[in-house]
Amino acid sequence: MMPALPTRAVRTLAFRHVVYPAALAVTGQGATLRYLRRLRGAEHDPPARVRERQRRRLLRLVARSRSGSEYYGEVLPALEPDTPLTDALARIPVLERRTLQESGARLRVTSFRGRVATKTTGGSTGAPVRVVKNADAVARERAASWLGYGWFGIRPGDRSVRFWGGATTASRRLSAVAADGAMNRTTFAAFAFDESDLALYWERCLAIRPRWIYGYVSMIEEFARFLAARGCDGSRLGLAAVVTTAEALTEVQRGLISDVFGAPVQDEYGCGEVGPIAYECPQGSMHLMAENLIVEVVDDAGERMAPGGSGEILVTDLGNVAMPLIRYRIGDFGTVGMPCPCGRTLPVLQRVWGRAYDFVTDAGGRRYHGEFFMYLFEDLRRDGLAVDQFQVTQTPEGAIRIDVTGVASGRSERALDAIRNAAAARLPDVPIAARFVDEIEREASGKMRVIVNEAAGRTAAPVA
C-alpha cells in the first residue's frame, strides 16, 4: 500500500488539480494552465523566434484594432504582413494614460462579444483608469505569473498569505473571499494595521504554514521589522519565497525580508492595466513576459534603447483584444538589461525606478497604505465624483492634505467637501484638508507619488 499523504499535502493537491482549475473554468479562464505549459516550453526559445511570434501577434492585433476600434481606426497605420517588428512599432503612435482616461470607450473593439473583466487602477501615478480585458487575456496574465513564481518552486494550489488591500463594498468582499478560497490563500489587510494586527498575522501564519508570501513591499517590510523586533523566527514557516510587488524593492528591504524569513525574495513588476510585466529569476534578473507583452524602453526622441540604456517604458498587451493597449505609456522608467546566465532567453529589464509608497498614520498609530486612497477615490468615482489626479500629504503635525487637480463635474467646494468627508469617515481622528491645485509636482524620475509622508521624513525609495 502507498503511504498516506499528510492532510496538508492532500489539501494542496486538491486545490492544484480540482478547486483552482474549476474556478478558472467558471470565470472563463480555463486556458490558464494550458498557457502555463506553453510558457514553460518557450522560456528557452531563441530570441529571434520569440520576436517573430510577437511580430505576428502585433500585426493581427493592429489589423483587428483598426477595424473594430473607433480610436485605433483613426490612428493606426495599415501594416503589410511582412512588416518587421521594429518598423511596425515605429509607425504606431504612443498611447497616453490621459487618452485611456478620457477616451476609454473609443478604444474598445465593438465587435468583441466574449467574456470580459473590468479593472480600475491608478498605480503609483494617482490617475485612475478603467480597462476592459477579455477573459483569455486574463488567463494569459495568470499563466505568466505562475511561470515566474515557478522559478522559485511555487505552484498553483500552494498555500499562500497575501498582504493586500481590502475590498470596500459587499460585492467586492464576496468576490475577494471567493478568490482567496479558490487559490488556497489568506489575505491580510494592508490598509490599516497596528502592532496587535501584526501579532495576529504572525499567529495566523504559524497556523497556516504558507508555502509563500505575496504583497506590497512596504507592508511585508513592516511585518518583517515587527518579527525581528519581537525576536520571532520567520524561518519557522519554511517559505519557498517571499514575492514582493507594487513598489520599488531596495536592497536594504530585500536583505531584511530575506533574513527574517530565511527565504529568497522574488520581485514582481507589473502594471494594473496590462498585468505582470517581469519576474525576477533566482539569478536576480527581471525577465520580461515576452509571450504576452512587447516592452520597449525609449529615449525622449522615441528611439529604442540598447542594453544598458535607460528611458521610458512602453508596453503593448498582445492578449487584450477587447480593449487593446498598444504602445501604452505606463509612466515608469527602466534600464535594458543584458542576457541572463540562468539560461532563460526572455528579455531582461535591469531596473525600474519611481515606484514607492509611504504610509500615513492616524492619531492612534494605525498605518494606512497608499493603496487605501486609491480605493477611496474609486468609491467616489462610483458615486459620481471622478477626479483627474490626486496626491495625499501628511504633515509633520500629522494632518493630511489632499491635492486634486480637478474633477469631471468641475471645481466646486461641494466636491472638496465630498472628498474631505469620505477621507474623514475612514480616518476620523486625523485633520483632513482638500484643495484644488493646477498641477501635482513629479519626482525627478518623472513619477508622481500618491503619498508624501512629511511626518515620517521618508522619500521615494530608489531601486538599486
Side-chain angles (χ1 to χ4, degrees):
M1 293 179 60
M2 293 183 61
L5 289 171
T7 302
R8 194 179 305 274
V10 172
R11 176 187 174 92
T12 297
L13 290 173
F15 274 92
R16 179 173 300 152
H17 297 293
V18 180
V19 179
Y20 185 55
L24 292 173
V26 168
T27 57
Q29 300 162 28
T32 297
L33 300 180
R34 184 175 78 248
Y35 286 143
L36 174 58
R37 291 190 292 272
R38 188 181 300 175
L39 292 177
R40 287 172 175 163
E43 61 182 336
H44 296 90
D45 277 359
R49 188 178 301 170
V50 176
R51 288 194 294 270
E52 176 58 19
R53 287 197 291 266
Q54 289 181 323
R55 188 190 73 84
R56 291 199 301 266
R57 291 185 65 191
L58 175 65
L59 294 183
R60 288 197 298 269
L61 181 64
V62 167
R64 184 168 186 169
S65 302
R66 288 185 76 241
S67 63
S69 161
E70 180 182 358
Y71 170 81
Y72 284 119
E74 297 172 357
V75 303
L76 286 180
L79 299 174
E80 297 298 325
D82 60 348
T83 305
L85 178 61
T86 53
D87 291 354
L89 291 170
R91 295 179 58 189
I92 298 172
V94 171
L95 174 63
E96 302 289 349
R97 176 180 288 265
R98 174 65 67 180
T99 302
L100 184 54
Q101 284 182 289
E102 297 177 349
S103 306
R106 298 183 66 237
L107 269 71
R108 294 193 61 173
V109 174
T110 55
S111 59
F112 183 80
R113 293 293 182 266
R115 294 183 64 170
V116 298
T118 301
K119 178 182 287 188
T120 301
T121 177
S124 53
T125 64
V129 296
R130 300 184 73 194
V131 175
V132 173
K133 200 154 200 170
N134 50 293
D136 187 74
V138 178
R140 292 175 184 273
E141 277 188 24
R142 295 194 186 281
S145 294
W146 288 120
L147 175 73
Y149 304 150
W151 299 339
F152 286 80
I154 299 166
R155 299 175 62 189
D158 285 346
R159 189 77 161 122
S160 67
V161 159
R162 180 177 70 156
F163 290 92
W164 207 246
T168 56
T169 65
S171 61
R172 286 191 172 196
R173 284 192 291 272
L174 182 61
S175 177
V177 169
D180 282 350
M183 295 184 66
N184 199 14
R185 181 177 70 195
T186 298
T187 295
F188 296 148
F191 278 168
F193 59 93
D194 54 23
E195 289 205 349
S196 64
D197 295 316
L198 296 176
L200 178 61
Y201 295 164
W202 173 237
E203 292 175 6
R204 293 287 305 281
C205 282
L206 288 175
I208 293 168
R209 297 287 173 167
R211 172 76 171 157
W212 57 299
I213 289 177
Y214 175 91
Y216 303 144
V217 175
S218 51
M219 183 62 216
I220 295 177
E221 176 193 12
E222 292 285 338
F223 187 46
R225 290 191 185 281
F226 169 82
L227 296 181
R230 291 290 186 93
C232 301
D233 182 8
S235 66
R236 292 173 60 190
L237 301 179
L239 299 174
V242 178
V243 182
T244 57
T245 190
E247 304 163 348
L249 174 69
T250 70
E251 289 307 306
V252 172
Q253 291 169 320
R254 182 193 296 275
L256 169 69
I257 295 168
S258 181
D259 288 346
V260 167
F261 292 105
V265 177
Q266 182 189 33
D267 200 21
E268 173 188 81
Y269 171 53
C271 166
E273 296 92 304
V274 301
I277 296 174
Y279 284 94
E280 186 177 15
C281 75
Q283 293 286 336
S285 295
M286 293 293 291
H287 288 278
L288 295 169
M289 297 294 101
E291 297 294 332
N292 290 353
L293 309 166
I294 297 174
V295 178
E296 305 168 75
V297 178
V298 300
D299 62 15
D300 292 342
E303 297 294 324
R304 297 188 67 170
M305 305 302 295
S310 299
E312 193 164 12
I313 296 175
L314 307 178
V315 181
T316 297
D317 186 341
L318 296 170
N320 191 355
V321 297
M323 184 175 178
L325 300 182
I326 304 174
R327 303 200 78 209
Y328 177 49
R329 192 191 305 274
I330 62 176
D332 289 336
F333 296 79
T335 302
V336 181
M338 300 293 292
C340 180
C342 75
R344 296 177 182 86
T345 53
L346 295 169
V348 172
L349 197 60
Q350 181 175 319
R351 69 181 185 125
V352 179
W353 65 88
R355 308 185 103 188
Y357 289 101
D358 283 331
F359 296 101
V360 298
T361 308
D362 67 14
R366 293 179 68 85
R367 285 159 288 182
Y368 294 77
H369 192 274
E371 287 282 332
F372 170 85
F373 290 93
M374 294 305 306
Y375 281 76
L376 183 152
F377 278 94
E378 167 59 6
D379 289 344
L380 287 171
R381 185 197 65 77
R382 285 199 299 270
D383 291 336
L385 183 66
V387 308
D388 293 335
Q389 291 182 321
F390 71 89
Q391 185 177 68
V392 178
T393 300
Q394 185 160 41
T395 69
E397 294 75 27
I400 286 177
R401 183 185 72 246
I402 303 174
D403 291 338
V404 181
T405 58
V407 297
S409 58
R411 295 189 174 194
S412 69
E413 192 60 32
R414 179 178 297 181
L416 293 180
D417 284 341
I419 293 169
R420 282 192 292 263
N421 292 338
R426 293 162 172 79
L427 298 167
D429 300 324
V430 179
I432 306 287
R435 66 179 185 179
F436 288 113
V437 296
D438 292 328
E439 183 180 7
I440 295 176
E441 185 176 354
R442 293 180 177 270
E443 297 288 302
S445 64
K447 292 289 290 189
M448 187 182 301
R449 294 171 63 193
V450 171
I451 304 295
V452 178
N453 193 333
E454 297 174 350
R458 298 173 68 175
T459 59
V463 180

